[in-house]
Amino acid sequence: MVQKEISSYFTEQYHSQPLLIKAPGRINLIGEHTDYNEGLVLPASIEKAIYFAVSPNESGTIQIETFLTQPEKITFQLNGNHDKYARFWGNYFKAIIDILVAENYPLKGMNCVFGGDIPIGSGLSSSAALCCGFIYAITKVSGKELPREDIALIAQKAEHKIGLNCGLMDQYAVLFGKKGNAFFLDCKDLSHSYIPINLQGYSWVLVNSNIKHNLAVDSEYNKRRVSCENIVELVQQIKNGVTSLRDVTVEDLHHISEKANETDLKRAKYIIDENSRVLNMMQALTDGNAQQVGEILRQGHWAMSLQYEITTPELDILVKIGEELDGVMGSRMMGGGFGGCTINLVETNKLDTCITALLQNYRERTGIGAEYYHLAIDDGVKVIA
């Protein structure tokens, strides 16, 4: 197991037993592109994680070694005087330390070894796990613990500093996740609650289409954000108290239909419907209605494909194959779009047969080999040893 290897290596290098911290990845069951519209999301933290073995030191530095990509060691000064680092994770940690120094957080010397089993670039939010786990480790060593809400904000600031303009869904899911539960988050006021996943006899599986996000993705994201903002501006002219699409109804769209761009209307309708799908999914999970859960997944996918237009032909093929297989209850693209993975709900006793057929049919139809990962819903960031 990864955590045992990390803990053993730490003991060999630093001759002490470390504190071991687990920072999980996350999936998003439903609620794509709703976060920047102050909407609703339904993520969950998973068993795959990044592990941090840590202990205090008297060196006045934070020494970090990783097995995340290849063995590498970086030393950070507690006063924040350090250069940019070539490795991506070094710049995440630099950003975090810079923020903590600026906020006069009492940093202390720390030894740290980390690594994990979250597949990088799979849409499981390895960056949020990296940032939240590291900040949590610092608070444990320094002796001044921060509320998890504050850790989420610092992690978000760090991502913004290195150029990733993310919301707070990933950080909240990583920090507040609970085993056996989905995590409902209202992105307007950050209120949240736990939704039990009562699906005995079913398994969650992620299938990677191996279609990588292309260079045009950022501009496509921006176009969709602009579409949403255009609709909000038009509705504001006829309705008070509107600050985002969260405050807009389908009826409002009808009232502005003659003034609005047709594409903008279609995209706004997707966001409004997606918020409803989050609410419907919460009820279906609580009721243990696997058929309804699968139907909501399918609805969400084809809405992303036809209304928001953020899927790819390959992702659509993966979902179509699943619709043809007995045992796949439903699937949809997960994440920002234009590549990546599908999340699938599959009958556990038909899991092996379904996965084999899915991968084989996908290769036959596209010529591309896909990968899959079993997903288990687990707790958020925590000390495990």
Side-chain angles (χ1 to χ4, degrees), residues 161-173:
K161 277 176 75 75
I162 63 172
L164 299 170
N165 191 24
C166 60
L168 278 166
M169 178 186 79
D170 292 351
Q171 293 82 3
Y172 265 69

Side-chain angles (χ1 to χ4, degrees), residues 72-109:
E72 184 178 12
K73 184 173 182 177
I74 290 179
T75 299
F76 293 87
Q77 304 300 318
L78 296 186
N79 60 9
N81 291 333
H82 35 249
D83 298 325
K84 285 188 176 180
Y85 296 100
R87 305 300 280 177
F88 74 94
W89 63 267
N91 286 316
Y92 278 106
F93 292 170
K94 177 187 184 304
I96 288 166
I97 292 170
D98 287 346
I99 292 165
L100 292 172
V101 168
E103 296 182 2
N104 296 314
Y105 181 85
L107 289 171
K108 292 184 179 179

Side-chain angles (χ1 to χ4, degrees), residues 173-201:
V174 166
L175 286 160
F176 291 97
K178 184 179 178 181
K179 188 171 185 175
N181 288 261
F183 179 76
F184 169 71
L185 177 66
D186 186 327
C187 296
K188 186 167 188 174
D189 60 11
L190 297 181
S191 60
H192 48 271
S193 59
Y194 295 104
I195 308 301
I197 300 176
N198 296 321
L199 295 174
Q200 299 299 319

Side-chain angles (χ1 to χ4, degrees), residues 23-29 32 43-50 116-131 159 169-171 173-175 204-208 213 334-336 339-344 371-377:
R26 69 101 188 97
I27 54 174
N28 190 24
L29 298 179
E32 299 295 1
S45 52
I46 60 172
E47 201 168 38
K48 292 184 181 298
I50 296 176
D117 57 5
I118 302 176
I120 304 299
S122 61
L124 296 177
S125 202
S126 56
S127 62
L130 190 73
C131 292
E159 297 227 36
M169 178 186 79
D170 292 351
Q171 293 82 3
V174 166
L175 286 160
W204 297 101
V205 179
L206 200 71
V207 178
N208 187 348
H213 305 281
M334 188 184 78
C341 302
T342 61
I343 183 170
N344 305 263
E371 301 165 338
Y372 73 97
Y373 312 103
H374 294 286
L375 301 171
I377 310 303

Side-chain angles (χ1 to χ4, degrees), residues 235-243 247:
V235 175
Q236 285 172 334
Q237 296 172 16
I238 63 169
K239 185 177 179 180
N240 294 326
V242 174
T243 60
D247 307 313

